[in-house]
Amino acid sequence: MNDAGFFVYIFDQTAVPGLGKTAETAWPILQAVPLEQAAFTVTEQLLLNYHWPTQTITFTNPWGQTDRDAPSYMWNGGGSFVVVYNRQRLFGGKVVAAISPRRFDYPAMALSNDYILMENPELQGKLVYSFHPKSAVMYPPQSQFLADDPAIAEAVKNHLRQLGKLVE
């Protein structure tokens, strides 16, 4: 496992073939999967910013300019994720495209519509995802960090602020 800090571990379908439809099935799987099996990790170095009011992260796209340059587990609903801060798993769920609704009862990491439509040329070479408490037909902006403990949410916020990567 990586050192202390903020990371988003993303798994493909070989590491996590399925999570089921409920948080009761998904979270135990995501707590048990070895983080070393992640297909990709958003490190603090790749993270460009964390927009707290909308719970949106922007990070460097190491595969190219658009989402279609990235592996399919990053946008087709086949991937899963775990958010880790200081070696503690905070929350996790399914990686989805915001335009493709899924039916499950646990967090989603949704590739933003603005990014998919590439309406903002400044987003080229970056990936933009937002965190949501569960799947939905549409993914409106969130305002609450999904970790259960408010003290941990505040610690994450302060850590990102110290890194200069927090947008308030």
Side-chain angles (χ1 to χ4, degrees):
M1 188 178 223
N2 281 326
D3 292 331
F6 181 83
F7 301 91
V8 181
Y9 292 86
I10 302 174
F11 303 90
D12 63 18
Q13 289 168 299
T14 59
V16 181
L19 295 175
K21 292 189 184 252
T22 68
E24 288 75 28
T25 60
W27 189 231
I29 292 168
L30 293 171
Q31 285 179 306
V33 65
L35 296 177
E36 297 79 25
Q37 291 183 8
F40 176 68
T41 304
V42 179
T43 63
E44 292 176 347
Q45 291 73 34
L46 289 176
L47 181 68
L48 298 170
N49 66 61
Y50 194 119
H51 192 272
W52 203 262
T54 60
Q55 290 299 300
T56 301
I57 61 171
T58 303
F59 56 93
T60 302
N61 180 353
W63 299 285
Q65 295 300 301
T66 72
D67 63 316
R68 297 301 171 162
D69 296 327
S72 63
Y73 63 83
M74 294 294 293
W75 49 264
N76 76 352
S80 55
F81 74 95
V82 176
V83 173
V84 174
Y85 175 65
N86 284 348
R87 300 180 186 93
Q88 180 181 356
R89 295 178 199 220
L90 303 181
F91 62 91
K94 197 78 156 150
V95 179
V96 300
I99 58 172
S100 53
R102 305 281 190 234
R103 287 185 166 79
F104 48 84
D105 187 30
Y106 44 82
M109 182 175 151
L111 187 62
S112 87
N113 279 330
D114 291 342
Y115 179 80
I116 293 168
L117 300 173
M118 200 49 78
E119 293 176 350
N120 182 349
E122 291 179 16
L123 296 179
Q124 287 192 353
K126 301 171 185 171
L127 291 170
V128 182
Y129 290 86
S130 53
F131 296 112
H132 303 273
K134 59 184 176 179
S135 73
V137 174
M138 293 298 292
Y139 289 91
Q142 298 297 306
S143 61
Q144 183 176 342
F145 189 67
L146 298 183
D148 291 334
D149 186 344
I152 290 175
E154 196 58 35
V156 169
K157 192 174 184 180
N158 286 331
H159 179 74
L160 295 170
R161 187 181 290 124
Q162 289 172 358
L163 293 174
K165 298 191 180 197
L166 180 69
V167 177
E168 295 185 77

